[in-house]
Amino acid sequence: MDLTREWLRDVTRVGFVPGLRARARAALQELLDELIAAVRAEPFDPAAGDRIGAELVDLRMSAPPVIGMTVRLLTERLPPLIEGDPAVVRGRVLELLEHVTTGFVTAQRDAAVRAAEQMNRSEKIHWRRVQTDLQRRLIEDPITGLPNQQQLRQLLAAPTGARRGLCLLGIDRYPELADSLGQDNADQLLTAVAARLRQLTGVFLAHLGDDQFGLLADDTAGPDDIVKIADQARRALHAPFPLGGHSLRLEVTAGLVEGPKPGEHWLRDARLALGWARQDRHEHAVYEPSRAEADRRRHRLAAALPSAVDSGEFVAYYQPLYRLTDREVIGVEALARWQQPGGSPPLGPPDFITLAERTGLIRPLGRFVLERACRQGAAWLRAGRDLTISVNLSPLQLSEPTLPADVADILHRAGLPAGNLQLEITESAALDQGYATLHQLAELGVRLALDDFGTGYSSLATLSWLPVSNVKLAAEFMADAGAPAATEMLRHTIALCHALDLTVTAEGIETADQEALLRDLGCDYGQGYHFARPAPCPFSS
C-alpha cells in the first residue's frame, strides 16, 4: 500500500529504523491494518489505538518526532481509504489517533531498557493479535486456567446494587522478563502467579493476558477495601519464584477502581490508574475522574499539536524587562502562546511545552518563536527602540549541533544585531549537554542568560566557567521575599553574581514591596505581573 511506504519513508526520515526495511514495512502494514479494522469495528473501541501507539515504541520507532509525523500523516491519508460516512470515519480516525498518541507517549515514559530482540517484530505483532483473538474465544485463559478478560467484562457489565472494587495487578517489566526467560519459562511464571493469587478469598480472579491480572471484589465499603486487596495480592507475590534453577523476585503495581456503578469501562479506568501508579512510582493508584479528564485534555492537545504548529496557531507574546533603578524598559522576553480556533483564551507554555518536547515539536516551535522575536526586535530597533530580545531555548534545541548556524542565519535575515538577542537556557541543559554550543553562541555575540536559577543544580561555582552574562532568579525566590532568611539568601546570591561580573534579573515580581526589596538589594532587572503581563505587542513599532 502506498500509505505504508510513505509512513515508513517519513519514519525513516525523522528517526532510526532498525533491521531490514522490508520487515519494518511489514510491521507498519500490520499496524495500519489494525487501525483500519478498529475504525470499521462495531462497536467502535478507540482504545485499540493505545496498543498501536505502544507498538511503535516496541518496534524501536521511538524517536520523539515519529508520533507527530504519524498523527499528521494518518489524519490526512487514512480517512479516504475507509468506506463509510466521511464525517463518522474521520471522527473515529481522529479519536483513534488520540489514543495512538497516548499509547506512544506512555510507552516511551514507562519502557525500561529492553533485552535484544530475538524474534521478528512483525511476527511478534501477529502472534500477539492471534493470542488476543484466541483468548477472547476461550472461556478460560489457556496458560493459567483462569477466567479471561471477556468473562471479567461480562461480570462488570452485570447490574448490581452493591459497591464493587476492581484491582488491576500488573507485573512490572514483564516484557523484559518474558524475553530473557523464554516463552516456556514465562508461561510457568504466569501459572505460578495465578496459583498464589488463587489463595486470596472473596475475589473473582481473571488473567487478562501477559502481565495483567484482575481481582474483582463485591460489597466493598469504599476505596480502602480494594486497597487492602491490592496489599494482600502484593504480599502473596512477595516471596521469590523458583524458576529454571533460580529465584525470581517480582515487583507488581496496581490500578484500582471502586464505586457503586461498575461497568466495562472500569477496565479502561483501572489501566489508566495502573499507568499513574507506575508514572508516580507508587505501589498503587486509585482512579480519579478529575485526573483522567486532565489526562484526556493533554492527549487531545498532543494530537492537535502537530497541525497547530503547521497551521500557524502559535503566536509570540512579549513581557517587558525593567531596569529596577529607574523602571526603564530595557528588553522583552518572547513567550509562545497557542491560539486555538474558536476564540478561547490562548494557552500558555505550561499547557503545551512538555508535550512539544515529548513529540519533538519543540524544535519547529522554538524556531518559530526565535524567528518571530528577532523580526519584531529588528522592527522596534528601526523605530528607535533599542531592546534586548530574550528567547528561551529548550534542552532539545540546545542539543542540536546546527543551532549556532541557525541562530546566525535567523539574525542575518531578520536584521537584528547579535548583541540584541539574549538566549535563556536552564542550568541542567547547560551542564548536561550545551557547553560547547554555548561557547559558539557567545562567539556570535549573542548574550546568554541562565534561566530559573535556583531550581536546578544551583551551583554558583559553575557560573565562573559558563559563558553567561545574566542570571535570572527563579520566581520561587519571591515566595518568601521579605523574610530575614530569604532576604539574606537573595542578598548573597546577587552579590556573588555581581562579583562574577554577571547581571541579575528577578522573575515573578508581583508586588511593590518585592520590587523595592530587590532594588535595595542591588538586583539589576525585573519582570513580573507587578509591571506587566505578556502581550502580543507591548509597544508600537
Side-chain angles (χ1 to χ4, degrees), residues 280-365:
D280 299 338
R281 297 184 178 181
H282 293 164
E283 292 180 341
H284 67 262
V286 180
Y287 175 78
E288 301 174 20
S290 59
R291 183 171 179 179
E293 178 54 36
D295 278 357
R296 284 191 287 270
R297 180 175 182 272
R298 283 194 296 273
H299 299 327
R300 288 194 295 269
L301 290 177
L305 192 58
S307 60
V309 173
D310 292 339
S311 60
E313 294 179 14
F314 284 91
V315 296
Y317 274 41
Y318 303 92
Q319 186 175 35
L321 302 170
Y322 287 81
R323 187 165 52 215
L324 295 181
T325 54
D326 57 8
R327 269 204 167 209
E328 179 74 17
V329 175
I330 54 88
V332 295
E333 179 179 355
L335 301 164
R337 292 291 186 271
W338 185 355
Q339 183 62 69
Q340 294 182 292
S344 58
L347 302 178
D351 294 306
F352 59 80
I353 286 296
T354 301
L355 297 175
E357 289 175 340
R358 287 177 180 171
T359 58
L361 292 170
I362 193 65
R363 291 184 177 93
L365 179 57

Side-chain angles (χ1 to χ4, degrees), residues 143-145 186-196 198 213 241:
I143 298 175
T144 63
D187 289 350
Q188 291 180 33
L189 174 62
L190 293 176
T191 301
V193 169
R196 293 194 189 182
R198 278 193 176 98
F213 291 81
F241 287 80

Side-chain angles (χ1 to χ4, degrees), residues 233-312:
R234 190 177 297 105
R235 287 195 295 271
L237 302 178
H238 177 71
F241 287 80
L243 195 67
H246 301 282
S247 292
L248 178 65
R249 286 191 178 274
L250 295 183
E251 295 181 6
V252 294
T253 307
L256 312 177
V257 188
E258 195 278 337
K261 296 180 180 179
E264 290 187 52
H265 64 89
W266 268 24
L267 271 177
R268 177 198 65 203
D269 296 344
R271 287 193 173 101
L272 190 56
L274 177 61
W276 295 342
R278 286 173 169 166
Q279 174 186 343
D280 299 338
R281 297 184 178 181
H282 293 164
E283 292 180 341
H284 67 262
V286 180
Y287 175 78
E288 301 174 20
S290 59
R291 183 171 179 179
E293 178 54 36
D295 278 357
R296 284 191 287 270
R297 180 175 182 272
R298 283 194 296 273
H299 299 327
R300 288 194 295 269
L301 290 177
L305 192 58
S307 60
V309 173
D310 292 339
S311 60

Side-chain angles (χ1 to χ4, degrees), residues 39 92 172 214 231 365 423 433:
V39 173
R92 288 186 174 188
D172 295 345
D231 289 340
L365 179 57
L423 297 176
Q433 58 193 10

Side-chain angles (χ1 to χ4, degrees), residues 4 61 66 83 92 100 110 211 232 238 241 255 262 283 292 297 335 356 362 396 402 430 468 478 537:
T4 306
M61 300 180 188
V66 166
E83 297 179 356
R92 288 186 174 188
V100 170
D110 294 338
D211 65 321
Q232 291 171 7
H238 177 71
F241 287 80
E283 292 180 341
R297 180 175 182 272
L335 301 164
I362 193 65
L396 281 178
T402 61
V468 297
M478 296 298 100
C537 187

Side-chain angles (χ1 to χ4, degrees), residues 134-272:
L134 178 61
Q135 289 172 14
R136 287 175 179 170
R137 291 194 298 267
L138 294 173
I139 295 177
E140 291 184 347
D141 173 70
I143 298 175
T144 63
L146 292 173
N148 64 8
Q149 180 170 274
Q150 183 177 358
Q151 281 196 287
L152 180 58
R153 286 185 180 275
Q154 292 173 352
L155 276 179
L156 287 171
T160 175
R163 295 178 71 96
R164 280 181 158 181
L166 173 64
C167 169
L168 182 64
L169 203 66
I171 301 173
D172 295 345
R173 297 183 297 279
Y174 178 77
E176 276 185 65
L177 290 174
D179 285 345
S180 61
L181 291 173
Q183 195 57 53
D184 289 343
N185 283 331
D187 289 350
Q188 291 180 33
L189 174 62
L190 293 176
T191 301
V193 169
R196 293 194 189 182
L197 293 178
R198 278 193 176 98
Q199 299 172 14
L200 301 180
T201 59
V203 296
F204 174 84
L205 177 62
H207 181 211
L208 311 186
D210 286 346
D211 65 321
Q212 294 185 353
F213 291 81
L215 295 85
L216 181 64
D218 289 327
D219 300 320
T220 55
D224 286 348
D225 285 353
I226 196 66
V227 170
K228 291 177 182 177
I229 290 173
D231 289 340
Q232 291 171 7
R234 190 177 297 105
R235 287 195 295 271
L237 302 178
H238 177 71
F241 287 80
L243 195 67
H246 301 282
S247 292
L248 178 65
R249 286 191 178 274
L250 295 183
E251 295 181 6
V252 294
T253 307
L256 312 177
V257 188
E258 195 278 337
K261 296 180 180 179
E264 290 187 52
H265 64 89
W266 268 24
L267 271 177
R268 177 198 65 203
D269 296 344
R271 287 193 173 101
L272 190 56

Side-chain angles (χ1 to χ4, degrees), residues 418-432:
N420 284 76
L421 177 62
Q422 176 174 271
L423 297 176
E424 300 185 15
I425 44 97
T426 62
E427 295 176 76
S428 56
L431 297 176
D432 287 345

Side-chain angles (χ1 to χ4, degrees), residues 60-128:
R60 294 169 62 192
M61 300 180 188
S62 55
V66 166
I67 188 61
M69 175 280 303
T70 294
V71 170
R72 184 165 56 251
L73 175 67
L74 297 186
T75 297
E76 175 184 352
R77 297 291 308 280
L78 189 57
L81 300 178
I82 303 173
E83 297 179 356
D85 185 325
V88 172
V89 169
R90 182 168 180 82
R92 288 186 174 188
V93 168
L94 291 176
E95 194 170 354
L96 261 176
L97 292 178
E98 179 179 332
H99 279 265
V100 170
T101 302
T102 302
F104 185 91
V105 173
T106 300
Q108 272 193 322
R109 180 189 59 213
D110 294 338
V113 176
R114 306 215 175 199
E117 287 294 329
Q118 298 182 357
M119 61 171 59
N120 181 278
R121 288 295 191 176
S122 62
E123 293 175 357
K124 189 174 183 181
I125 296 171
H126 179 70
W127 179 87
R128 286 179 176 174

